[in-house]
Amino acid sequence: MWKEIGDREFGKLRPNLFSNRIKSSRIASLQLSNHKEIVSSHRGSINSLQVDLTEGRYLLAGAADASVAVYDIQRATDHEGDGLIAKHRSLFVVDKQHEHGHRYAISSATWYPIDTGLFVTGSYDHHINVWDTNTTQVVMNFKMPGKVYRTAMSSLATSHMLIAAGTEDVQVRLCDIASGAFAHTLSGHRDGVMSVEWSTSSEWVLITGGCDGAIRFWDIRRAGCFRVLDQSYSQLGRRPPLQTRSTANKVAITKSSSTAQSSSVKSRSLQRKNTNGNSLKHAGLNRYSAQVKGSMKQRLHPGMLSTQDRATAHYGAIIGLKSTGDGMYLLSAGSDSRLRLWDTESGCNTLVNFEITRLQTSKPIQLATTQDSAIVFVPCMTTTKAFDMWSGKTMLNFRGHYENVSCCWYSAQDQELYTGGNDRQILVWSPANSTTGEVDEWRKGQAAALDQDNWSD
Amino acid sequence: MEDAEEEEGREGRRPAAAGLIEKATNSTRPEVDPRLLKAIKSVVRHSDSELRLSAQTLMSLMKRDHSQVRYLALLIIDELFMRSKLFRTLLVENLDQLLTLSVGFRKNQPLPAPAAVASVMRSKAIEFLEKWNASFGIHYRQLRLGYDYLKNTVRYQFPNLQANAARIRQERREKEMRTKEILLKKFESLKANLASIKDDIQSTVDEINECLDIIQNKEDNVPPAPVDEEEIEEFHNAELRQIRLDSLREGEKVQENSENKVIFDALRELYKVLVTKHLVAVQEGISVLIRVEGADNRFRDNTLKELIDIRNHLQSMKRKCEDSGCALAKATTAEEEDIWEEGTLESFANGQSFAEEKNSVLSVASTSGKIEDKTSEGGSSKFTVEKQQGGYRSTESNPLRSKLMAEAPVMKWGSFLDNWGSNRDVLANQRGLELEGHWGRVDYDAVIPAEKIAELNVRATVYKEDPVEIQPCRAPLKKGGLCPRKDLRVCPFHGPMIPRDDEGKPINLDPTEEMQSELGGSNSSVEEMAPDLVEQLVKQAVRNVRERDKETAKKRHHDKQDLKRAKLAKVREHNEAVLRDAALASTSRSSYIGEGTEAASGPGSLARNKRDTLASMLKKKETSKDRLAQKLLSTRARDATVKQLTAEGVSNYMEAFPNQW
């Protein structure tokens, strides 16, 4: 590590690369944290976890006992065992006792992406509430036609404040916080919608996954969905090799950061085409672009071909969706215990085989990826597994929950993973050699003296 | 070189830990063989690789589909867990799995077959988890999580050993504190009241002394009882002399009469006060002083000394009072009575002294028992009078007695004679009926009723035949003399035994004569009767005899069958008794014992036997023996709970009244 720091100082190592290396090494050593403990104030299973996107400090958790709690994950409320264990108690809890609280289980709790002044909760009591964090009062209330499974707000949106809500109902509704009314009603799914995800590359694109096994892409500026993912429509051969792909991703990231706003999918794909100027792949790329053209054509015609409209991404319900940080790929989890990685440009199944044995099927699950999209964290029954995004190999197994895990959140800032399960616990998984304060070190030494070999004979 | 050697050694030892663990878990006993355990520990202690390997082995053993194997593995895991840090870190990774396999809290993964072992394992696992959490929970989040989950979500009842122990300690401390406080309070009150108590005692003692003085002075002028020398000579044994002396001494004592009745009353009153109030108070004070702590020792010691002196003084006063006859210690009289009874028994043989003996007993008993009765009689004269009366009575009773004696059955001596004719209930303690030499608590409710005692004392006597003198045959022999054969009925040479005179001629007794005459008659008549009739008669007789024979044969057959049946019943009874004994001797592990004998009887190696038994543990079998054992166990459990409850009651009592024990 010191060598790397030296290299960075001499300029041999670029700062970005240096930080990435350190981060990845920290991620590789994630384990159940003994020093950081979130004291769950919920009496039901944790359904949703999110750390706020602005400060990376406040963890919002929604649970099945209709309670929402916010935890400060940076500063502990109290300590135990001579400062060995830092306990994080909830800053506040809103539960059934609250006059405007939800009556039934909260399925989704998300922060307002711009600041921590608001958060949105969706519940099985058919309501979506928008809360003022500081006063813990409901500022807005949307009545939905059925149980709310998932709510989402776009993290890039600058021109709208829409909450996309997936409910029991076949229609996906977009609730406008600005007006307090439903802005859109997107119909196309044939069953309830369990997962909703905004594209991370375009503020207009919404991805929804339904219980009918379809994943639909919507451009909210137009009517109808413009793409339905088909699991049999794959592109294994046309994919650039892994190595170049990951570098390409990085380049794409840097480019996207350098270019001011990449607003449309199309521009994105063009960009991508430019970066992959490889003679060997030209033929494939040509077909690829033809495909894109095809989809473009379909986008012009809202009433899609019925065969395409009936395509399914999974056998069974889509229980989780997650788009990668750069918005180029989409991960979907289905009740058929599969995890699929889709290329958002082409809508192709990349056929990455994730070594998943079983996923829970009854509830939506919440996936998480690392910032550089190298690792995906998936709740698999009682464990959480970390898979390599591109090879599908299992990297880490997080065993700690005693019942099914339903949600996880990766905090890129601290390289920590938070998981919430049906056993009402929120567990913190942190890098093994997490350095704590200097003062604590000595204390820890004292405490560790108790945890030694003790052979009496 | 060294490395290679070490490596080799490790290679050699590699299978050691795993093998040892395998061996240790392949047993049907409820605990791990301590020697194997020690071996495992010593192997694992020196090598981390062994430790890793054993952790793996243990986890794989925990997955076995047999609760016994899992249970033993769990015991080993606990041993290593409490000792090795590496083992802890290894195991904690899979704690949820371990708990699933040992506690069986998941519905879809219940514990495997031998249900008894499984339940033991569950409770043990919960206990272990609690222990681990208490000792290492702070270092392992997984332990805390598992504990929390089982406690708060699945809501298992944890034994909470430490908390319980702490609570009990706390209670005991409180109790001690309470007793101490009470003692201290008593001590303080004693300190305050000591002077007044002493004054009281002193005044009582003075009064008693005065009373005694008065009595003594009054009775001084009464002449001492004359001693009859001749009579003394008649008493031969020491006891009688003792009795005599006692009675004389009794006679010497001042007797209460109308003149000194007031004084005696006063004395009796004072005596009562002395015994019931002062002596008790002093005793209590002494015990308080002995038990109290912390207060100024000098004062305590002094007071103690003083109190002991007072007590001794009081006791001597008490004795004096008793001597003076105003009160009697009941225990001593009872003892004396005992002795007299013995005396009667001993002197029973020589009838001459019996009368003397008896009337002396009477007189002494009456004098010692009831003084008031004889106040009218003079101290010395009364004795002789009574003696005469007694003598008279005894002579009068002699013929009656001899008559009764003649009637009475002669019994062999036995312990039943101790309470011959008594109609009392007998106290029972846990050791049976023996109450002498038993210093423990006597429960006056636990009595054996008199009928029961009588029932218990029913004696079995063996029938004894009266000896019969067998007469010799005494038939005249050819060579002269009489036949010396002694037969009961028939002499093989001379026919049936008949009384004969000295020459050997049979003395004709009536029945034989008659028979002979009858025979003669029949003979004569036979000749007269028709031969066919005779034949018929003979046939009839033969038929009769045959029939009788057949009947007897049938009867004998029946008898034989009955006998056989009885024998079988007896055998069955015996078998049942033996089984019951076996069930009693072995508790819940009766099945183990059965298996053990099975294994011992069967051929095959030890290991195979063990595997057999491990497998057989899975088999469910319900034999009559098991049922019996279960029943017995349940009654035993009931007894145990009853005992525990009573013990609890006692402890409650002790707690409620800490100053009374």
Side-chain angles (χ1 to χ4, degrees):
Chain A
M1 185 174 174
W2 295 114
K3 183 175 174 297
E4 283 183 352
I5 289 172
D7 284 348
R8 194 190 68 80
E9 279 178 354
F10 286 123
K12 283 186 204 162
L13 210 61
R14 280 182 294 155
N16 223 353
L17 195 60
F18 172 73
S19 73
N20 278 345
R21 269 189 197 172
I22 289 197
K23 277 179 187 171
S24 59
S25 76
R26 274 169 70 84
I27 289 168
S29 67
L30 276 183
Q31 63 177 31
L32 187 60
S33 171
N34 188 41
H35 311 301
K36 193 166 181 176
E37 194 172 297
I38 292 176
V39 183
S40 169
S41 45
H42 308 286
R43 284 189 298 280
S45 59
I46 314 292
N47 285 332
S48 168
L49 281 177
Q50 193 188 13
V51 178
D52 74 298
L53 305 172
T54 42
E55 284 181 82
R57 179 170 176 181
Y58 299 106
L59 177 72
L60 179 71
D65 66 337
S67 64
V68 194
V70 172
Y71 303 90
D72 188 342
I73 53 170
Q74 303 287 3
R75 208 167 58 86
T77 48
D78 55 347
H79 293 270
E80 204 176 79
D82 291 335
L84 190 64
I85 303 162
K87 295 214 165 192
H88 298 258
R89 293 186 195 279
S90 55
L91 298 179
F92 66 84
V93 187
V94 178
D95 54 12
K96 279 183 195 168
Q97 267 73 51
H98 192 277
E99 50 179 337
H100 300 299
H102 287 292
R103 281 186 296 138
Y104 303 141
I106 288 174
S107 54
S108 159
T110 49
W111 285 108
Y112 180 62
I114 311 303
D115 58 43
T116 54
L118 289 176
F119 63 89
V120 181
T121 57
S123 161
Y124 281 2
D125 66 359
H126 302 192
H127 281 279
I128 292 177
N129 285 358
V130 181
W131 300 80
D132 185 332
T133 315
N134 298 310
T135 60
T136 62
Q137 292 299 321
V138 177
V139 290
M140 201 158 286
N141 187 358
F142 298 97
K143 173 90 172 79
M144 305 304 286
K147 286 180 189 171
V148 180
Y149 287 130
R150 190 59 76 188
T151 59
M153 292 190 79
S154 173
S155 54
L156 330 152
T158 50
S159 55
H160 67 78
M161 293 171 74
L162 294 174
I163 305 165
T167 62
E168 259 184 329
D169 193 48
V170 293
Q171 293 175 327
V172 177
R173 287 168 195 252
L174 302 185
C175 314
D176 191 358
I177 300 178
S179 68
F182 298 130
H184 296 62
T185 306
L186 310 172
S187 42
H189 282 288
R190 292 180 181 78
D191 203 344
V193 180
M194 268 204 178
S195 45
V196 177
E197 180 83 3
W198 286 92
S199 165
T200 44
S201 53
S202 160
E203 61 171 317
W204 313 114
V205 174
L206 176 71
I207 309 160
T208 58
C211 297
D212 54 354
I215 297 174
R216 288 170 186 270
F217 282 62
W218 315 82
D219 186 334
I220 59 166
R221 295 165 299 184
R222 292 166 178 267
C225 77
F226 68 90
R227 181 177 295 153
V228 180
L229 294 182
D230 188 349
Q231 56 187 324
S232 58
Y233 186 45
S234 56
Q235 61 157 20
L236 181 68
R238 279 154 242 161
R239 226 155 44 105
L242 289 180
Q243 227 53 19
T244 50
R245 165 170 296 277
S246 54
T247 51
N249 283 343
K250 264 169 208 135
V251 177
I253 291 164
T254 48
K255 285 232 168 162
S256 67
S257 56
S258 58
T259 54
Q261 273 288 334
S262 56
S263 58
S264 78
V265 180
K266 194 188 162 196
S267 68
R268 208 72 204 295
S269 73
L270 286 174
Q271 219 178 53
R272 187 182 159 74
K273 218 194 288 179
N274 294 339
T275 53
N276 291 325
N278 195 324
S279 61
L280 207 139
K281 286 165 195 146
H282 261 307
L285 280 173
N286 281 346
R287 258 201 273 168
Y288 176 69
S289 55
Q291 219 177 70
V292 171
K293 262 172 212 156
S295 67
M296 291 280 280
K297 200 161 64 190
Q298 271 153 24
R299 216 192 298 170
L300 295 172
H301 298 88
M304 283 194 300
L305 283 174
S306 64
T307 49
Q308 271 179 320
D309 195 36
R310 279 180 207 287
T312 55
H314 285 273
Y315 299 108
I318 312 294
I319 54 173
L321 282 176
K322 178 78 187 171
S323 55
T324 55
D326 54 11
M328 298 178 75
Y329 292 92
L330 176 74
L331 279 158
S332 70
S335 58
D336 54 354
S337 292
R338 303 271 168 188
L339 193 63
R340 295 213 160 95
L341 181 66
W342 307 87
D343 193 327
T344 26
E345 315 298 320
S346 60
C348 290
N349 182 0
T350 58
L351 294 180
V352 175
N353 179 34
F354 290 95
E355 299 166 330
I356 290 175
T357 49
R358 233 177 125 198
L359 293 178
Q360 71 166 358
T361 55
S362 54
K363 281 207 301 189
I365 59 171
Q366 195 182 320
L367 310 170
T369 58
T370 54
Q371 208 173 18
D372 60 352
S373 313
I375 294 170
V376 56
F377 300 99
V378 185
C380 305
M381 302 307 280
T382 61
T383 60
T384 309
K385 289 184 179 176
F387 297 103
D388 184 82
M389 182 88 86
W390 313 115
S391 66
K393 292 264 187 297
T394 311
M395 290 178 68
L396 293 164
N397 248 326
F398 303 106
R399 304 169 63 104
H401 284 285
Y402 280 81
E403 278 170 40
N404 287 351
V405 185
S406 49
C407 53
C408 57
W409 185 267
Y410 175 73
S411 159
Q413 193 176 322
D414 304 318
Q415 289 89 44
E416 278 180 336
L417 179 73
Y418 307 98
T419 58
N422 288 359
D423 57 357
R424 309 174 301 181
Q425 298 284 353
I426 302 172
L427 299 188
V428 184
W429 307 81
S430 55
N433 48 355
S434 61
T435 50
T436 46
E438 292 275 322
V439 190
D440 288 344
E441 281 297 326
W442 179 79
R443 273 204 205 140
K444 213 185 283 172
Q446 290 289 100
L450 295 171
D451 182 25
Q452 290 298 328
D453 278 5
N454 175 28
W455 295 95
S456 59
D457 44 0
Chain B
M1 182 67 191
E2 270 182 19
D3 277 358
E5 256 179 31
E6 202 186 312
E7 198 60 32
E8 224 174 62
R10 203 174 291 156
E11 285 298 324
R13 260 186 284 125
R14 174 142 297 170
L20 281 173
I21 288 167
E22 284 274 358
K23 203 167 154 191
T25 51
N26 193 3
S27 152
T28 53
R29 278 176 303 154
E31 73 273 345
V32 184
D33 184 4
R35 283 186 303 130
L36 277 175
L37 190 63
K38 199 155 193 178
I40 292 167
K41 279 192 274 188
S42 65
V43 165
V44 149
R45 183 180 181 177
H46 300 292
S47 129
D48 282 356
S49 63
E50 285 283 2
L51 197 63
R52 281 173 207 280
L53 197 72
S54 55
Q56 270 175 25
T57 316
L58 283 168
M59 276 317 281
S60 66
L61 281 172
M62 284 305 289
K63 286 174 193 151
R64 282 282 176 84
D65 205 15
H66 196 301
S67 278
Q68 177 70 14
V69 177
R70 287 193 189 181
Y71 176 63
L72 293 178
L74 182 71
L75 293 181
I76 300 175
I77 284 174
D78 176 52
E79 288 289 330
L80 297 181
F81 195 94
M82 293 306 286
R83 287 177 171 76
S84 164
K85 180 176 177 173
L86 179 63
F87 190 80
R88 283 196 284 273
T89 47
L90 288 174
L91 208 77
V92 137
E93 296 289 319
N94 289 333
L95 189 74
D96 57 333
Q97 201 180 8
L98 178 69
L99 289 180
T100 308
L101 295 173
S102 59
V103 182
F105 60 86
R106 288 198 209 282
K107 286 270 187 337
N108 52 355
Q109 283 170 284
L111 296 180
V117 186
S119 68
V120 171
M121 172 165 71
R122 175 179 293 126
S123 58
K124 242 339 186 232
I126 290 172
E127 198 186 309
F128 285 158
L129 180 63
E130 190 185 28
K131 186 171 74 179
W132 296 345
N133 184 50
S135 358
F136 306 109
I138 198 168
H139 304 290
Y140 301 98
R141 175 86 170 111
Q142 286 91 339
L143 277 180
R144 290 196 302 257
L145 271 178
Y147 181 74
D148 185 64
Y149 180 73
L150 287 190
K151 190 169 185 175
N152 296 328
T153 307
V154 191
R155 299 196 186 280
Y156 269 112
Q157 202 66 48
F158 279 84
N160 224 354
L161 291 175
Q162 289 191 333
N164 276 348
R167 193 162 47 77
I168 287 168
R169 226 176 299 132
Q170 174 73 19
E171 274 173 13
R172 193 176 304 148
R173 210 178 302 129
E174 273 174 17
K175 209 156 67 182
E176 271 169 19
M177 287 288 285
R178 234 173 11 230
T179 5
K180 208 176 271 180
E181 214 168 276
I182 288 168
L183 273 177
L184 212 63
K185 226 177 266 170
K186 275 189 180 174
F187 178 66
E188 292 299 327
S189 70
L190 183 74
K191 215 174 181 177
N193 296 338
L194 191 63
S196 71
I197 289 173
K198 266 198 277 191
D199 284 353
D200 273 2
I201 289 172
Q202 196 53 52
S203 69
T204 317
V205 166
D206 287 349
E207 279 175 42
I208 287 176
N209 276 334
E210 276 168 29
C211 284
L212 286 175
D213 278 352
I214 293 168
I215 292 169
Q216 238 101 62
N217 289 335
K218 259 194 183 163
E219 300 296 332
D220 266 351
N221 47 8
V222 176
V227 178
D228 203 341
E229 301 290 332
E230 290 155 42
E231 267 177 343
I232 285 178
E233 278 171 18
E234 282 180 21
F235 298 102
H236 292 294
N237 46 15
E239 286 150 40
L240 296 187
R241 194 167 301 136
Q242 178 64 38
I243 290 159
R244 170 79 177 145
L245 286 176
D246 276 349
S247 62
L248 287 178
R249 214 181 302 137
E250 199 67 36
E252 274 171 33
K253 275 178 195 165
V254 177
Q255 298 303 325
E256 188 178 345
N257 52 30
S258 54
E259 281 169 46
N260 55 14
K261 190 172 187 320
V262 186
I263 299 165
F264 263 97
D265 282 345
L267 192 55
R268 229 167 267 139
E269 200 86 345
L270 287 172
Y271 172 79
K272 203 178 262 174
V273 168
L274 185 81
V275 171
T276 56
K277 192 179 154 202
H278 294 319
L279 204 57
V280 170
V282 170
Q283 284 286 13
E284 201 177 326
I286 288 170
S287 75
V288 166
L289 283 176
I290 287 168
R291 284 190 293 168
V292 82
E293 278 172 11
D296 49 337
N297 277 333
R298 208 166 50 79
F299 172 77
R300 197 186 74 168
D301 292 347
N302 286 342
T303 336
L304 196 59
K305 239 176 254 170
E306 230 170 292
L307 278 179
I308 288 171
D309 286 348
I310 290 172
R311 187 187 65 181
N312 291 341
H313 186 55
L314 281 180
Q315 271 166 352
S316 71
M317 284 310 294
K318 187 180 156 200
R319 217 169 301 126
K320 226 187 259 180
C321 281
E322 277 162 15
D323 284 349
S324 77
C326 78
L328 284 164
K330 278 190 180 159
T332 54
T333 55
E335 249 173 63
E336 277 165 345
E337 269 165 15
D338 267 357
I339 291 164
W340 292 333
E341 267 175 330
E342 258 175 37
T344 50
L345 264 174
E346 248 172 61
S347 51
F348 178 70
N350 44 354
Q352 210 275 325
S353 64
F354 171 65
E356 300 284 352
E357 163 69 34
K358 193 168 181 191
N359 75 55
S360 78
V361 163
L362 275 171
S363 71
V364 174
S366 54
T367 45
S368 60
K370 296 166 250 171
I371 301 163
E372 283 85 359
D373 281 0
K374 280 153 260 156
T375 41
S376 55
E377 292 180 351
S380 55
S381 58
K382 143 204 98 184
F383 187 74
T384 45
V385 168
E386 275 229 351
K387 195 198 110 190
Q388 278 165 3
Q389 279 177 350
Y392 174 67
R393 222 189 303 156
S394 68
T395 48
E396 193 186 52
S397 71
N398 261 350
L400 177 73
R401 185 187 164 73
S402 55
K403 206 178 103 191
L404 285 173
M405 287 288 276
E407 261 177 33
V410 179
M411 308 296 294
K412 278 184 109 180
W413 185 85
S415 61
F416 63 89
L417 287 172
D418 288 353
N419 37 16
W420 178 264
S422 82
N423 202 20
R424 278 180 304 150
D425 294 351
V426 175
L427 289 175
N429 62 12
Q430 67 269 37
R431 281 195 286 163
L433 297 175
E434 179 200 15
L435 278 172
E436 287 88 358
H438 167 59
W439 285 39
R441 214 155 43 84
V442 175
D443 189 358
Y444 287 98
D445 292 333
V447 289
I448 298 174
E451 307 96 79
K452 192 80 190 170
I453 289 292
E455 215 173 284
L456 289 171
N457 274 332
V458 167
R459 278 156 294 108
T461 48
V462 182
Y463 172 70
K464 253 198 255 164
E465 216 171 345
D466 291 329
V468 183
E469 206 181 327
I470 301 169
Q471 298 293 326
C473 177
R474 287 158 68 92
L477 295 173
K478 278 175 197 163
K479 55 180 176 185
L482 299 172
C483 175
R485 266 192 77 90
K486 286 184 176 177
D487 285 298
L488 262 179
R489 300 244 161 71
V490 184
C491 172
F493 305 108
H494 306 100
M497 308 280 284
I498 21 173
R500 291 166 199 267
D501 62 4
D502 289 346
E503 280 133 46
K505 280 179 196 159
I507 305 163
N508 276 351
L509 289 173
D510 293 1
T512 50
E513 213 172 33
E514 264 177 54
M515 199 172 71
Q516 271 176 352
S517 70
E518 203 182 311
L519 268 171
S522 70
N523 278 348
S524 61
S525 67
V526 162
E527 279 152 25
E528 281 168 19
M529 269 191 264
D532 55 340
L533 187 71
V534 172
E535 225 170 43
Q536 259 187 3
L537 274 175
V538 167
K539 264 182 195 166
Q540 177 70 36
V542 166
R543 219 179 296 139
N544 283 349
V545 168
R546 289 269 161 78
E547 258 177 25
R548 207 181 304 142
D549 276 358
K550 223 180 267 171
E551 261 179 23
T552 52
K554 211 184 266 174
K555 202 177 171 192
R556 207 177 297 143
H557 183 66
H558 275 301
D559 282 356
K560 218 177 256 175
Q561 272 188 338
D562 281 353
L563 214 71
K564 206 182 267 175
R565 223 171 281 149
K567 209 175 192 176
L568 276 175
K570 204 178 261 176
V571 165
R572 216 173 298 134
E573 209 173 57
H574 175 75
N575 283 352
E576 267 169 12
V578 167
L579 283 178
R580 203 178 311 127
D581 284 352
L584 269 174
S586 64
T587 54
S588 62
R589 264 172 271 139
S590 66
S591 55
Y592 284 21
I593 284 174
E595 275 158 19
T597 54
E598 236 175 61
S601 64
S605 67
L606 196 72
R608 222 189 86 201
N609 275 343
K610 273 189 178 159
R611 206 169 307 135
D612 282 349
T613 50
L614 266 184
S616 68
M617 283 180 83
L618 288 174
K619 270 182 236 152
K620 202 178 272 180
K621 49 183 176 187
E622 175 86 344
T623 59
S624 61
K625 191 170 72 179
D626 282 359
R627 257 176 273 132
L628 212 77
Q630 213 165 3
K631 201 170 270 181
L632 279 167
L633 274 177
S634 73
T635 56
R636 185 178 288 186
R638 202 168 53 214
D639 289 351
T641 45
V642 165
K643 205 177 280 174
Q644 199 177 350
L645 280 175
T646 52
E648 228 167 54
V650 168
S651 72
N652 279 346
Y653 174 78
M654 280 158 83
E655 205 170 314
F657 304 101
N659 53 344
Q660 293 191 6
W661 48 273

